[in-house]
Amino acid sequence: MADAQYILPNDIGVFSLDCREAFRLLSPTERLYAHHLSRAAWYGGLAVLLQTSPEAPYIYALLSRLFRAQDPDQLRQHALAEGLTEEEYQAFLVYAAGVYSNMGNYKSFGDTKFVPNLPKEKLERVILGTKAAQQHPEEVRSLWQTCRELMFSLEPRLRHLGLGKEGITTYFSGDCTMEDAKLAQDFLDSQNLSAYNTRLFKGVSQDGKPCYEVRLASVLGMEPALHSEMTSKLKSYEFRGSHFQVTRGDYAPILQKVVEHLEKAKAYAANSQQEQMLAQYIESFTQGSIEAHKRGSRFWIQDKGPIVESYIGFIESYRDPFGSRGEFEGFVAMVNKAMSAKFECLVASAEQLLKELPWPPAFEKDKFLTPDFTSLDVLTFSGSGIPAGINIPNYDDLRQTDGFKNVSLGNVLAVAYATQREKLTFLEEEDKDLYIRWKGPSFDVQVGLHELLGHGSGKLFVQDEKGAFNFDQETVINPETGEQIQSWYRSGETWDSKFSTIASSYEECRAESVGLYLCLNRQVLEIFGFEGADAEDVIYVNWLNMVRAGLLALEFYTPETSSWRQAHMQARFVILRVLLEAGEGLVTVTPTTGADGRPDAQVRLDRNKIRPVGKPALERFLRKLQVLKSTGDVARGRALYEGYAAVTDASPECFLTLRDTVLLRKESRKLIVQPNTRLEGSEVQLLEYEASAAGLIRSFSERFPEDGPELEEVLTQLATADARFWKSPSEAPSGQA
């Protein structure tokens, strides 16, 4: 059997998203709007399979064929008759649920591969004897033969997502290195092209020079079309001795489905902002234009307080090893009015609270653009995973000039709160009950501060294409050096393109640190309804949760490559290191032996030292993070951040040894079952499913009732068309190495 870190355990937590009451309160028109946006999101989410691993589309297609022909209960009878044990069949269900939940065979949180926890030969016997195999023997056998080796393979390079020798990714062809990624980013910057909706494929031209295809995601391909802002970009270029060809049409049949449902949603939009937003999204996905998506995002920002909230596109860059390409995601949600009222109070206090942050006013935006901040109950969230909160859009220029929106996903947080005392690791016994009591409320506070005042704060110093600066070069002083500003962002440069591989984690660390820092503010706690001893408990548990999360983060560190696989967890480890460095017994991490005789550990936080010791340490660290970000000082920013993110066995903590303990006692991330919507006549019905691996599988089996087989064929055709890019020279057909 595989190493435990590469399987999903049979007892993995599975929870259902509860949005029944919020959906019930929607009007018929709002339900139709939500339904078509959900359909667009689910269709688009299939692109994630093509953004993850070469085999993911085939695994998805195979599982979908099996469970369409026989539901999990029916398939169980067949599997047991073929010799599987109950445990082995449950392991297969958990694997299938994991593939659906992560939209691929790599964990969305940590980018680690997971494989079926049963023998390959047994699974093969079951698959080839299923009803699906009887109905379509050639198709099922072909799918199985295409993906079976990669489904189970744990050769070192395939254990994690990564670039070159560090891992596998389908954002880049298999022969791309980090140097290729940097060159491509420089090329994109030179042409004012965003990497968000691109993939990069490398080859060798006839003259022996490297040639790169930058492929944009779009419905339209390279056929002649009416002039748009994109057509002039679709051509060949020479750049630093290499050939570049900008093409489009990636995921075209999938994006066509997205566009069809966005068109239908327009008929039920509540206002002109929503109509114009959808029109621009349609333009973006049709033409491959990020500029059109930005225009749509501007209308989205202007659409204040909608009953049905949504966002869709190539959004988060966490899983791109270079940190620039966006994974497709789409969400649809309904407003939770009670919690939203608290967030509105936080927004009303934001300008005052921003002044509390430990950097000079010149390093803050010239004008705080009051954002929407709502608590939402998620109806649909497509992609590889569901966050607890979001601050979007991610476009730096829009955030600086147009603003942003914050959302807290209330029914997702409710799932995150679910903590069993017996599964609580690395805490002292006397902390456990307090932790369970206050984890939820403290997380509400942290998410609110993290999204609104973490991601929503700070200014980037920019020189535009005309040479004009957005700061006063004469008077603005760097508080870390006492000198005038020496570096900034040039036209075309962004936070992601400049800080690349550390951008996501660095920004998450800054936002988490702002949350910890401002949760000490009594005004903030009063907004959320906490005073006196309760307020102090919320502060303590919020800080304790961050310290514990820093230790748990070691699961996502790979010693063999000295690399982190998850931005948020790397950020939390960095914060743990900062608080440990503060000294004076504020935080201690001690190796122990558990009641079961196996290695264990305990984290301790001295609540009496949070303000006198922890706050000044966090203040110094936060100021450095912001100054280096504002000035675009990559060299010093990288040195600071990577210094804190280094994992060694230096005493007293011995983190490399502690990592083994964390892996020994880790709890797998929960799987979340989402509902479907179905149009029956002119009414939209909500279809809910049980909280189990089988329930999650059923939700996907019923997700595409009209065109499931067609979609699976599309996915495998798209994957096959590009398969040569990840084959070794010995595997590739002649001329396609």
Side-chain angles (χ1 to χ4, degrees):
M1 288 294 101
D3 185 315
Q5 66 179 306
Y6 302 112
I7 60 170
L8 302 178
N10 279 11
D11 64 351
I12 192 168
V14 185
F15 293 81
S16 291
L17 275 190
D18 180 10
C19 63
R20 186 184 310 165
E21 180 62 14
F23 185 80
R24 186 186 68 80
L25 294 173
L26 296 181
S27 71
T29 301
E30 289 162 351
R31 290 187 185 187
L32 285 161
Y33 183 65
H35 167 72
H36 288 296
L37 289 175
S38 292
R39 302 310 297 150
W42 286 125
Y43 279 117
L46 296 172
V48 177
L49 295 160
L50 296 158
Q51 295 180 304
T52 301
S53 70
E55 67 275 13
Y58 301 102
I59 296 172
Y60 173 90
L62 177 63
L63 294 173
S64 297
R65 292 289 164 108
L66 299 183
F67 289 113
R68 187 181 302 108
Q70 293 168 283
D71 76 15
D73 290 340
Q74 294 167 334
L75 198 56
R76 175 178 172 273
Q77 301 306 318
H78 163 66
L80 297 182
E82 288 287 355
L84 261 64
T85 64
E86 289 279 7
E87 290 74 21
E88 287 170 336
Y89 182 62
Q90 178 64 18
F92 174 57
L93 290 185
V94 166
Y95 175 77
V99 170
Y100 286 135
S101 188
N102 293 278
M103 269 290 100
N105 56 330
Y106 286 75
K107 296 175 187 174
S108 65
F109 206 80
D111 296 341
T112 303
K113 189 174 187 177
F114 57 95
V115 300
N117 189 24
L118 70 159
K120 186 196 306 178
E121 298 73 24
K122 280 191 166 186
L123 182 55
E124 177 172 75
R125 197 160 63 243
V126 170
I127 286 172
L128 298 183
T130 58
K131 189 174 177 182
Q134 292 167 14
Q135 293 171 342
H136 305 283
E138 290 183 12
E139 290 177 26
V140 171
R141 182 175 291 275
S142 174
L143 286 169
W144 171 246
Q145 289 176 343
T146 303
C147 68
R148 65 182 176 185
E149 297 305 322
L150 286 171
M151 181 188 284
F152 281 87
S153 177
L154 285 172
E155 67 172 88
R157 187 189 173 202
L158 302 182
R159 293 174 185 172
H160 307 290
L161 297 180
L163 194 54
K165 296 177 181 178
E166 305 297 323
I168 189 74
T169 177
T170 46
Y171 283 115
F172 299 85
S173 56
D175 53 356
C176 281
T177 64
M178 195 59 76
E179 287 67 37
D180 294 313
K182 290 174 183 172
L183 177 66
Q185 187 62 57
D186 289 345
F187 164 72
L188 290 167
D189 288 346
S190 75
Q191 298 301 318
N192 273 325
L193 276 171
S194 169
Y196 269 117
N197 64 341
T198 69
R199 292 197 288 169
L200 185 71
F201 302 97
K202 183 181 179 182
V204 179
S205 62
Q206 291 181 342
D207 60 7
K209 291 181 180 180
C211 61
Y212 300 91
E213 178 194 359
V214 175
R215 192 188 301 168
L216 310 177
S218 67
V219 175
L220 294 179
M222 298 301 288
E223 67 274 6
L226 292 173
H227 180 77
S228 77
E229 62 193 340
M230 296 311 299
T231 50
S232 63
K233 303 282 190 182
L234 304 174
K235 60 184 180 182
S236 297
Y237 301 79
E238 291 293 316
F239 185 78
R240 294 185 190 169
S242 295
H243 299 299
F244 277 84
Q245 178 80 30
V246 178
T247 68
R248 67 180 176 186
D250 217 0
Y251 327 119
I254 293 170
L255 292 176
Q256 178 62 47
K257 298 277 190 182
V258 175
V259 165
E260 287 170 7
H261 279 280
L262 292 179
E263 284 282 8
K264 291 177 179 178
K266 273 173 66 179
Y268 306 105
N271 52 51
S272 62
Q273 280 99 352
Q274 290 180 1
E275 290 175 10
Q276 292 176 89
M277 168 190 82
L278 294 174
Q280 291 298 328
Y281 291 164
I282 290 165
E283 174 78 0
S284 173
F285 299 141
T286 301
Q287 300 285 351
S289 167
I290 289 296
E291 288 304 313
H293 197 268
K294 286 184 179 180
R295 292 194 292 271
S297 297
R298 284 193 176 95
F299 288 118
W300 179 71
I301 293 166
Q302 293 164 18
D303 183 25
K304 303 286 188 183
I307 301 299
V308 177
E309 184 62 282
S310 68
Y311 198 62
I312 190 169
F314 297 89
I315 311 299
E316 301 293 355
S317 58
Y318 302 127
R319 299 184 96 193
D320 170 13
F322 189 70
S324 292
R325 287 152 189 81
E327 181 176 272
F328 193 97
E329 71 177 40
F331 80 83
V332 184
M334 294 82 65
V335 173
N336 177 317
K337 292 183 178 177
M339 181 56 76
S340 294
K342 295 179 181 179
F343 289 142
E344 285 170 14
C345 291
L346 190 64
V347 170
S349 305
E351 287 194 79
Q352 190 59 41
L353 292 170
L354 283 170
K355 296 174 184 175
E356 303 289 320
L357 291 173
W359 50 77
F363 288 75
E364 195 48 69
K365 294 183 184 71
D366 300 334
K367 183 178 186 332
F368 180 70
L369 300 164
T370 305
D372 242 11
F373 197 168
T374 47
S375 177
L376 305 174
D377 284 341
V378 171
L379 170 65
T380 296
F381 205 114
S382 74
S384 66
I386 312 179
I390 322 172
N391 176 287
I392 40 182
N394 286 330
Y395 305 120
D396 293 333
D397 47 350
L398 263 66
R399 297 172 65 79
Q400 299 286 319
T401 59
D402 294 80
F404 51 88
K405 280 187 182 181
N406 299 276
V407 296
S408 173
L409 305 178
N411 54 348
V412 178
L413 286 168
V415 169
Y417 297 162
T419 305
Q420 295 173 276
R421 194 180 197 280
E422 60 272 18
K423 290 191 174 182
L424 259 184
T425 52
F426 310 130
L427 293 180
E428 296 183 293
E429 283 301 315
E430 56 264 36
D431 278 336
K432 288 184 177 179
D433 290 332
L434 197 68
Y435 183 89
I436 290 170
R437 167 72 182 84
W438 292 107
K439 181 189 175 187
S442 71
F443 203 38
D444 279 335
V445 174
Q446 179 68 12
V447 168
L449 294 171
H450 172 118
E451 300 296 347
L452 175 66
L453 298 163
H455 292 315
S457 63
K459 177 176 180 172
L460 302 185
F461 294 157
V462 177
Q463 182 183 23
D464 66 21
E465 66 276 5
K466 296 177 182 176
F469 291 88
N470 70 342
F471 66 98
D472 189 328
Q473 285 183 282
E474 298 298 320
T475 61
V476 177
I477 300 297
N478 183 324
E480 295 296 305
T481 64
E483 300 172 353
Q484 291 179 328
I485 303 304
Q486 304 293 320
S487 58
W488 49 83
Y489 296 79
R490 264 79 180 179
S491 175
E493 290 183 330
T494 67
W495 164 249
D496 278 338
S497 70
K498 208 162 169 63
F499 281 72
S500 66
T501 53
I502 65 165
S504 292
S505 183
Y506 188 113
E507 174 59 12
E508 291 303 328
C509 185
R510 196 183 69 87
E512 291 283 43
S513 299
V514 167
L516 284 187
Y517 186 76
L518 288 180
C519 84
L520 298 172
N521 185 297
R522 286 188 168 82
Q523 179 189 355
V524 167
L525 296 169
E526 286 171 6
I527 288 171
F528 284 88
F530 306 119
E531 298 180 355
D534 285 354
E536 293 303 312
D537 284 344
V538 166
I539 292 168
Y540 176 65
V541 170
N542 196 32
W543 279 59
L544 180 64
N545 188 47
M546 189 64 69
V547 169
R548 177 175 178 261
L551 180 60
L552 295 175
L554 289 168
E555 174 190 344
F556 302 96
Y557 179 77
T558 306
E560 294 81 6
T561 57
S562 301
S563 61
W564 285 90
R565 305 187 311 276
Q566 216 291 324
H568 296 79
M569 298 310 283
Q570 180 183 11
R572 290 160 189 167
F573 177 77
V574 166
I575 292 170
L576 171 61
R577 288 284 312 276
V578 169
L579 297 179
L580 282 165
E581 188 183 78
E584 298 188 42
L586 170 68
V587 174
T588 55
V589 181
T590 310
T592 63
T593 301
D596 56 5
R598 300 187 300 170
D600 207 338
Q602 277 191 341
V603 294
R604 294 186 180 89
L605 170 69
D606 187 335
R607 67 190 299 161
N608 295 318
K609 293 181 179 175
I610 291 174
R611 281 191 173 87
V613 179
K615 185 180 180 182
L618 207 54
E619 190 171 290
R620 291 189 295 272
F621 177 62
L622 250 179
R623 182 166 52 245
K624 286 180 182 176
L625 286 180
Q626 183 56 51
V627 167
L628 294 169
K629 180 181 178 181
S630 288
T631 58
D633 191 338
V634 180
R636 288 188 176 87
R638 191 173 284 278
L640 172 76
Y641 199 69
E642 291 180 344
Y644 278 114
V647 179
T648 71
D649 239 356
S651 61
E653 288 81 26
C654 304
F655 281 121
L656 274 178
T657 301
L658 275 175
R659 178 180 176 272
D660 294 333
T661 303
V662 170
L663 288 174
L664 182 68
R665 299 191 176 276
K666 76 182 182 77
E667 182 182 0
S668 292
R669 194 169 172 85
K670 302 175 180 81
L671 302 181
I672 296 180
V673 183
Q674 298 188 56
N676 286 318
T677 56
R678 180 165 298 168
L679 190 57
E680 296 180 359
S682 61
E683 293 189 0
V684 179
Q685 303 298 325
L686 184 71
L687 306 179
E688 297 176 285
Y689 303 88
E690 66 178 31
S692 67
L696 199 156
I697 291 166
R698 286 190 184 96
S699 73
F700 268 88
S701 294
E702 297 181 10
R703 192 140 284 157
F704 304 105
E706 308 92 354
D707 50 10
E710 174 198 329
L711 290 169
E712 290 141 30
E713 190 171 339
V714 162
L715 284 166
T716 55
Q717 286 174 349
L718 292 173
T720 301
D722 289 329
R724 67 187 188 279
F725 290 118
W726 295 282
K727 284 189 164 81
S728 65
S730 61
E731 294 176 280
S734 177
Q736 292 187 342

